[in-house]
Amino acid sequence: QALFEYQSLMAELLDMDVVNASMYDWGSALAEALLMSLRVNRGRRKVVLPRNMNPFHKEVVHTYLWPHSVKIEYVEYDPETGMVDLEDLKRKVDGDTAAVYLQNPNFFGYIEENAEDVGEVAHERGALYIVGVEPTSLGLLKPPGQLGADIAVGEGQPLGIDLAFGG
């Protein structure tokens, strides 16, 4: 019952239709979302990640995707604003891209003002759009569902959920 209630509240907070609360942490949730995007977009072998993402999540993604021979491409960020470089994103997302990921706020703490534009670039090229969020930020920021996200990932621990069995 507790998981059902938690998932129902998270679905409202994220503005998503379906929520799964069984991942250990943000990094593994992201890696699983990327693997799901590869299954949904059969034949596509590339994912596009922002260079301004959490480096710990990046390591988890590399560990999960390494055995699957997936090409991971990184989008640069504007050094003045700290936000994803949309022009670089447009150059890197192509017909082989299964997913585009954006962390909002990003690792530097900046709110990605062009989050909806990133989603449009992903969708124009047939890729899934994955948004990683800090759940407490959603009291002020648009939720992933309103940004056009196909998949949302994040961490439940900031909501007061205890660390259990290492996750």
Side-chain angles (χ1 to χ4, degrees):
Q1 183 67 38
L3 273 177
F4 172 78
E5 297 298 339
Y6 174 75
Q7 289 172 297
S8 297
L9 290 171
M10 288 305 297
E12 285 186 46
L13 184 63
L14 297 167
D15 195 19
M16 302 294 284
D17 293 331
V18 178
V19 174
N20 176 5
S22 66
M23 297 292 109
Y24 291 114
D25 59 19
W26 188 334
S28 61
L30 172 58
E32 291 288 349
L34 292 168
L35 288 172
M36 183 170 80
S37 71
L38 292 165
R39 289 189 300 273
V40 169
N41 287 313
R42 294 177 193 266
R44 295 181 180 217
R45 306 303 309 159
K46 181 170 92 171
V47 296
V48 176
L49 309 175
R51 206 168 283 285
N52 62 2
M53 70 183 280
N54 185 314
F56 298 116
H57 301 166
K58 190 184 301 184
E59 289 300 317
V60 173
V61 165
H62 279 272
T63 301
Y64 269 67
L65 297 186
W66 173 77
H68 299 279
S69 302
V70 176
K71 180 179 181 184
I72 301 172
E73 196 149 348
Y74 289 97
V75 175
E76 298 301 325
Y77 60 89
D78 182 328
E80 302 224 353
T81 66
M83 290 183 246
V84 166
D85 181 337
L86 273 177
E87 294 309 312
D88 190 41
L89 178 75
K90 290 175 184 175
R91 284 190 295 275
K92 292 180 176 171
V93 179
D94 58 23
D96 196 37
T97 305
V100 174
Y101 172 65
L102 182 75
Q103 182 177 325
N104 193 32
N106 65 36
F107 187 69
F108 303 132
Y110 292 111
I111 297 166
E112 291 282 353
E113 295 173 1
N114 54 9
E116 291 175 72
D117 297 329
V118 171
E120 288 175 14
V121 171
H123 291 144
E124 285 170 3
R125 290 161 176 86
L128 293 182
Y129 182 37
I130 303 170
V131 177
V133 295
E134 166 63 49
T136 55
S137 73
L138 299 177
L140 296 173
L141 303 180
K142 282 185 178 180
Q146 289 181 23
L147 298 175
D150 300 298
I151 304 170
V153 297
E155 185 79 58
Q157 203 283 321
L159 300 175
I161 298 173
D162 62 326
L163 295 174
F165 304 104

